[in-house]
mmCIF file of all heavy atoms in Angstrom:
data_model
loop_
_atom_site.group_PDB
_atom_site.id
_atom_site.type_symbol
_atom_site.label_atom_id
_atom_site.label_comp_id
_atom_site.label_asym_id
_atom_site.label_seq_id
_atom_site.Cartn_x
_atom_site.Cartn_y
_atom_site.Cartn_z
ATOM 1 N N LYS A 5 -44.688 -27.031 -46.035
ATOM 2 C CA LYS A 5 -44.213 -27.471 -44.722
ATOM 3 C C LYS A 5 -43.325 -28.712 -44.769
ATOM 4 O O LYS A 5 -42.964 -29.230 -43.736
ATOM 5 C CB LYS A 5 -45.413 -27.759 -43.809
ATOM 6 C CG LYS A 5 -46.295 -26.572 -43.605
ATOM 7 C CD LYS A 5 -45.981 -25.927 -42.309
ATOM 8 C CE LYS A 5 -46.964 -24.801 -42.111
ATOM 9 N NZ LYS A 5 -46.604 -23.890 -41.121
ATOM 10 N N ALA A 22 -10.217 -18.516 -36.549
ATOM 11 C CA ALA A 22 -9.227 -17.768 -35.763
ATOM 12 C C ALA A 22 -9.900 -16.958 -34.658
ATOM 13 O O ALA A 22 -9.402 -16.881 -33.535
ATOM 14 C CB ALA A 22 -8.422 -16.853 -36.674
ATOM 15 N N LEU A 23 -11.047 -16.380 -34.967
ATOM 16 C CA LEU A 23 -11.804 -15.631 -33.957
ATOM 17 C C LEU A 23 -12.251 -16.562 -32.830
ATOM 18 O O LEU A 23 -12.123 -16.217 -31.651
ATOM 19 C CB LEU A 23 -13.013 -14.956 -34.594
ATOM 20 C CG LEU A 23 -13.957 -14.194 -33.673
ATOM 21 C CD1 LEU A 23 -13.251 -12.978 -33.092
ATOM 22 C CD2 LEU A 23 -15.203 -13.789 -34.427
ATOM 23 N N GLN A 37 -5.323 -16.642 -14.368
ATOM 24 C CA GLN A 37 -4.987 -15.474 -13.554
ATOM 25 C C GLN A 37 -5.208 -15.796 -12.078
ATOM 26 O O GLN A 37 -6.262 -16.310 -11.703
ATOM 27 C CB GLN A 37 -5.860 -14.277 -13.952
ATOM 28 C CG GLN A 37 -5.631 -13.777 -15.351
ATOM 29 C CD GLN A 37 -4.220 -13.267 -15.565
ATOM 30 O OE1 GLN A 37 -3.679 -12.567 -14.726
ATOM 31 N NE2 GLN A 37 -3.628 -13.650 -16.680
ATOM 32 N N VAL A 44 -15.982 -15.970 -14.085
ATOM 33 C CA VAL A 44 -15.727 -15.085 -15.232
ATOM 34 C C VAL A 44 -15.318 -15.883 -16.467
ATOM 35 O O VAL A 44 -15.935 -15.733 -17.532
ATOM 36 C CB VAL A 44 -14.677 -14.008 -14.868
ATOM 37 C CG1 VAL A 44 -14.278 -13.208 -16.097
ATOM 38 C CG2 VAL A 44 -15.208 -13.095 -13.783
ATOM 39 N N ALA A 47 -18.290 -17.953 -17.660
ATOM 40 C CA ALA A 47 -19.315 -17.144 -18.323
ATOM 41 C C ALA A 47 -18.880 -16.754 -19.730
ATOM 42 O O ALA A 47 -19.679 -16.803 -20.680
ATOM 43 C CB ALA A 47 -19.609 -15.892 -17.491
ATOM 44 N N PRO A 58 -23.188 -21.884 -32.981
ATOM 45 C CA PRO A 58 -24.344 -22.101 -33.875
ATOM 46 C C PRO A 58 -24.085 -21.722 -35.329
ATOM 47 O O PRO A 58 -24.671 -22.311 -36.226
ATOM 48 C CB PRO A 58 -25.437 -21.211 -33.272
ATOM 49 C CG PRO A 58 -25.058 -21.081 -31.855
ATOM 50 C CD PRO A 58 -23.562 -21.087 -31.827
ATOM 51 N N ARG A 62 -25.303 -24.462 -37.675
ATOM 52 C CA ARG A 62 -26.573 -24.025 -38.277
ATOM 53 C C ARG A 62 -26.272 -22.959 -39.323
ATOM 54 O O ARG A 62 -26.524 -21.774 -39.127
ATOM 55 C CB ARG A 62 -27.506 -23.469 -37.206
ATOM 56 C CG ARG A 62 -27.998 -24.494 -36.224
ATOM 57 C CD ARG A 62 -28.918 -23.881 -35.185
ATOM 58 N NE ARG A 62 -29.917 -22.989 -35.737
ATOM 59 C CZ ARG A 62 -31.145 -23.349 -36.108
ATOM 60 N NH1 ARG A 62 -31.523 -24.589 -35.967
ATOM 61 N NH2 ARG A 62 -31.981 -22.466 -36.584
ATOM 62 N N VAL A 75 -30.656 -20.383 -43.025
ATOM 63 C CA VAL A 75 -30.492 -20.711 -41.607
ATOM 64 C C VAL A 75 -29.058 -20.325 -41.239
ATOM 65 O O VAL A 75 -28.108 -20.848 -41.816
ATOM 66 C CB VAL A 75 -30.732 -22.206 -41.350
ATOM 67 C CG1 VAL A 75 -30.530 -22.536 -39.883
ATOM 68 C CG2 VAL A 75 -32.117 -22.602 -41.814
ATOM 69 N N GLY A 77 -26.886 -19.470 -37.698
ATOM 70 C CA GLY A 77 -26.851 -19.318 -36.245
ATOM 71 C C GLY A 77 -28.239 -19.539 -35.663
ATOM 72 O O GLY A 77 -28.880 -20.547 -35.900
ATOM 73 N N ARG A 80 -33.443 -17.494 -38.870
ATOM 74 C CA ARG A 80 -33.965 -18.130 -40.079
ATOM 75 C C ARG A 80 -34.627 -17.029 -40.904
ATOM 76 O O ARG A 80 -35.542 -16.360 -40.438
ATOM 77 C CB ARG A 80 -34.972 -19.216 -39.727
ATOM 78 C CG ARG A 80 -35.527 -19.951 -40.944
ATOM 79 C CD ARG A 80 -36.462 -21.068 -40.539
ATOM 80 N NE ARG A 80 -35.760 -22.192 -39.946
ATOM 81 C CZ ARG A 80 -35.340 -23.254 -40.646
ATOM 82 N NH1 ARG A 80 -35.547 -23.328 -41.925
ATOM 83 N NH2 ARG A 80 -34.720 -24.246 -40.030
ATOM 84 N N GLY A 97 -19.128 -3.484 -50.162
ATOM 85 C CA GLY A 97 -19.329 -2.102 -50.569
ATOM 86 C C GLY A 97 -20.743 -1.633 -50.282
ATOM 87 O O GLY A 97 -21.595 -2.382 -49.803
ATOM 88 N N ALA A 101 -25.174 -3.505 -49.338
ATOM 89 C CA ALA A 101 -25.521 -3.496 -47.917
ATOM 90 C C ALA A 101 -26.724 -4.400 -47.723
ATOM 91 O O ALA A 101 -27.672 -4.360 -48.506
ATOM 92 C CB ALA A 101 -25.833 -2.081 -47.455
ATOM 93 N N ALA A 108 -20.244 -16.221 -43.251
ATOM 94 C CA ALA A 108 -19.073 -16.344 -42.394
ATOM 95 C C ALA A 108 -17.828 -16.496 -43.255
ATOM 96 O O ALA A 108 -16.836 -17.051 -42.835
ATOM 97 C CB ALA A 108 -19.232 -17.527 -41.450
ATOM 98 N N PHE A 114 -24.707 -12.577 -53.108
ATOM 99 C CA PHE A 114 -25.600 -11.496 -52.721
ATOM 100 C C PHE A 114 -26.963 -11.756 -53.352
ATOM 101 O O PHE A 114 -27.070 -11.932 -54.563
ATOM 102 C CB PHE A 114 -25.052 -10.146 -53.194
ATOM 103 C CG PHE A 114 -25.919 -8.987 -52.846
ATOM 104 C CD1 PHE A 114 -25.957 -8.496 -51.551
ATOM 105 C CD2 PHE A 114 -26.702 -8.382 -53.805
ATOM 106 C CE1 PHE A 114 -26.764 -7.420 -51.218
ATOM 107 C CE2 PHE A 114 -27.509 -7.310 -53.485
ATOM 108 C CZ PHE A 114 -27.540 -6.822 -52.198
ATOM 109 N N ALA A 117 -33.247 -8.848 -52.723
ATOM 110 C CA ALA A 117 -34.681 -9.041 -52.476
ATOM 111 C C ALA A 117 -35.155 -7.865 -51.621
ATOM 112 O O ALA A 117 -35.267 -7.985 -50.403
ATOM 113 C CB ALA A 117 -34.939 -10.359 -51.780
ATOM 114 N N PRO A 118 -35.429 -6.715 -52.240
ATOM 115 C CA PRO A 118 -35.737 -5.507 -51.477
ATOM 116 C C PRO A 118 -36.947 -5.641 -50.553
ATOM 117 O O PRO A 118 -36.982 -5.041 -49.484
ATOM 118 C CB PRO A 118 -35.997 -4.452 -52.545
ATOM 119 C CG PRO A 118 -35.533 -5.014 -53.824
ATOM 120 C CD PRO A 118 -35.456 -6.493 -53.668
ATOM 121 N N PRO A 144 -32.579 -14.031 -65.684
ATOM 122 C CA PRO A 144 -31.713 -14.440 -66.806
ATOM 123 C C PRO A 144 -30.446 -15.121 -66.298
ATOM 124 O O PRO A 144 -29.861 -14.718 -65.294
ATOM 125 C CB PRO A 144 -31.376 -13.138 -67.521
ATOM 126 C CG PRO A 144 -31.806 -12.036 -66.620
ATOM 127 C CD PRO A 144 -32.761 -12.596 -65.622
#
Side-chain angles (χ1 to χ4, degrees):
K5 301 261 184 195
L23 177 67
Q37 295 298 317
V44 173
R62 293 180 46 92
V75 179
R80 182 177 288 267
F114 179 76

